[in-house]
Amino acid sequence: MILASVAVIACTVALLLEYEQRDRAAHLRTQGTGLARVLAGVPMSELVNREHDYGALNVLRLTQETEEFAYGVVTGPRGNVLNAVTAPGIQVPHAALPQQSSAWAGERSFVNHADGREVLEFYAPVFEAGQHAGTVRVGYFAPGLPISSAQIVLLATIALGIFLLTPLFYFLLRREIRPIHAANREMAELIADGNLRTFSIEASGELRGFMARFNQVVELAQSRITALQSENAELVSSQRLVTYGRRRVENVLQSMPDGIVILGQDGKATFANDRIKTLLGVDPQDILGSPPSRWCVNEEVTRLLSRYETNPGTSYFADTLRIRRSQGGEQGGQNLAVKVYPLFSPQDPEAVQGQLVVFQNTTKLAMAEQSRANFVAHVAHELKSPLNTLGLYAEALRGERGEDAAFRVEAYNVFSDEVERLATLVNNLLSITQIEMGSLNIDKQRVKLKDLLEDAFAQVSRSSRAAGLRLSASLPPEISAVAVDKQLMRIAIHNLLVNAVKYTEPGGEVELSATETPQAIQISVRDTGIGIAEQERERIFDKFFRSEDERVRKLNGHGLGLSLARDIVSLHRGRLSVTSEPGKGSEFVIELLKDQGLLRQAI
Amino acid sequence: MSKERILLVDDDPVVRRVLRFALEAGGYEVDTCADGVAALEAIRARAPDVLVSDIEMPRMNGRELCMAIEREFPARRFRMFVATSLPARELREWSAGVAGLVFLEKPISARKLLAEIGATLPGKGQTGPGEA
């Protein structure tokens, strides 16, 4: 700063001196030119008069006693010096004057040999009686560096002023740029934090406006960022929603009991759930992106699915194919139903986007169908066998044997038995159908269970089959009355007793017993019959189920008795359970909760 | 001339009894068995001229009996009448390979059965119903 201020001072001084010098040079020129001309107008006689103190040149010397004055000379027409006055130590230079009349007046400069100072000379011609009589030459020293004491004071004052002004300027400058500094610093911090904010910087003038606009820009940017952030948040949340939705759909598809494969428009698999593994024996991950011909193990299914590789299909109806997939022998086979549904575009209901292929394991369904077919065949047999017997006897009665009284009695007995058999079958079928359809109203009344058990026991005891068995009933003297549907409960107990009698070889035992606890009543039917194999123990309650056991096969049965008994007990919120040991016997237990128990359960 | 022999197979004793009366009345000699196993043994001992069997029977049912006879006696001469309550479609599946098999739909009529048996026997040893 000091250097700068010194330089400024130096420049200022130099400029001032230069200006002063020029000013003085101009002044000197005016003075010299004017004086030369004035002197030229003085008569020659006056000019050359050396004697008289008031001669023109003496006057000149007296009036021009300044530092600049060098000399005053009057020369004749040929340049000879006629008169001269000089400053001390000055030699008048001899220089010829121009001869042309046009250049008789003018100025020129010399260098004084004595001290090397430059001399400016102004000259003018002197005329006398119209004749060029001579020339007046006035010389001045060219102005040098005019450093006088007064000037030094002036310069010092100026320098002091500059010296004093410089810190002031500096201070003012500092004050002006401080807000810029602050702004700059804040911006640096802002860049470092990466956190956009407005600046609260006090400023004035242009900077104030600039800061205001800058803050407006920041606010604009902030609001834009906020808008973008909220848009982004919305986008993210909607994307999450979409992802969540997609996951949920995929979960649903994964949880489906059926195998699902989705084929794209090019017929390649785009989705497959895990069930595919068990149904088709292929890993769902392995089939993605490849056509069915690459992964489908069954030729028929491959043929069906390969159609969609070339033709996306426009059918609104599902293509269905039923196959049997053998897996480790006859028993391990599976029945599969393959259904192909077109997937229509949500935008354009005419366009097919791909196919939904559903692989259903219909093994159980097929078993159920088979079971139903077996049942129908069985019912047909059960219905037609009595009819057959009835028909044959009727026919026989018409013939000769009809005359035989003993045969007629036999025939009447047969009719009666077969009608009874048909009625029981039809009743069982109706009951089971009604229970299954849910249309059977159970008519619960407080029933003396002991009477009901005794009746059922007595009825079964009378049957011919029971003749070879030891039947016993061990019932407590009193059983609490319970609310049951008398007719239905009778069927259930009857069926259990009939089964026990049916599947017990002659000489065996069948026992009906009942026990009562504060909460429940247990009715047990125990036999010493053929028992139930473990693998069949769960299935005996299935409708139409008939044991594979030869000893069961040879006996008539509909596969309905236990199914019906279980349904009836369930309707009473009871439980029917079985324990059995093949060859030793079985025990079926009906557990009925008593009223307060029922109430508690309901609560 | 000896009577034609009919082997009657049915698990229901009542049916065996009444049908035997009817067939004997038709002039045939009737042997009876309660199931397929017993019937097969009887055939091995002596082939009948006609077999009349039920389908639903314990141990060996009518279907199994027919198949066993087809296997064991491919050159047999006797006809087989099988009484069934099953729908016809079920029967076609297994009966195709068994020769000389006639289905009788239950309830059967002894009169119609006798007529059919008479029509198929070349010897026609038919006698009047009163002869028994």
Side-chain angles (χ1 to χ4, degrees), chain A residues 229-282:
Chain A
Q229 275 172 340
S230 72
E231 267 174 41
N232 193 41
E234 254 175 57
L235 210 65
V236 166
S237 68
S238 71
Q239 196 183 347
R240 273 194 198 140
L241 209 65
V242 167
T243 309
Y244 171 76
R246 205 193 60 209
R247 288 223 181 108
R248 208 173 53 165
V249 168
E250 280 190 6
N251 269 346
V252 167
L253 290 178
Q254 287 293 3
S255 318
M256 294 283 282
D258 301 329
I260 288 178
V261 174
I262 294 172
L263 301 180
Q265 262 174 326
D266 53 0
K268 289 175 179 161
T270 57
F271 174 85
N273 71 357
D274 289 342
R275 290 285 294 153
I276 290 301
K277 200 166 192 166
T278 46
L279 292 176
L280 294 184
V282 291

Side-chain angles (χ1 to χ4, degrees), chain A residues 318-331:
Chain A
D319 281 326
T320 305
L321 179 71
R322 289 178 193 281
I323 57 163
R324 181 157 179 84
R325 192 168 162 259
S326 54
Q327 202 175 46
E330 284 290 308
Q331 273 79 35

Side-chain angles (χ1 to χ4, degrees), chain B residues 102-113:
Chain B
V102 181
F103 286 113
L104 305 167
E105 200 187 341
K106 284 183 183 178
I108 54 176
S109 150
R111 194 169 46 81
K112 281 186 193 164
L113 177 59

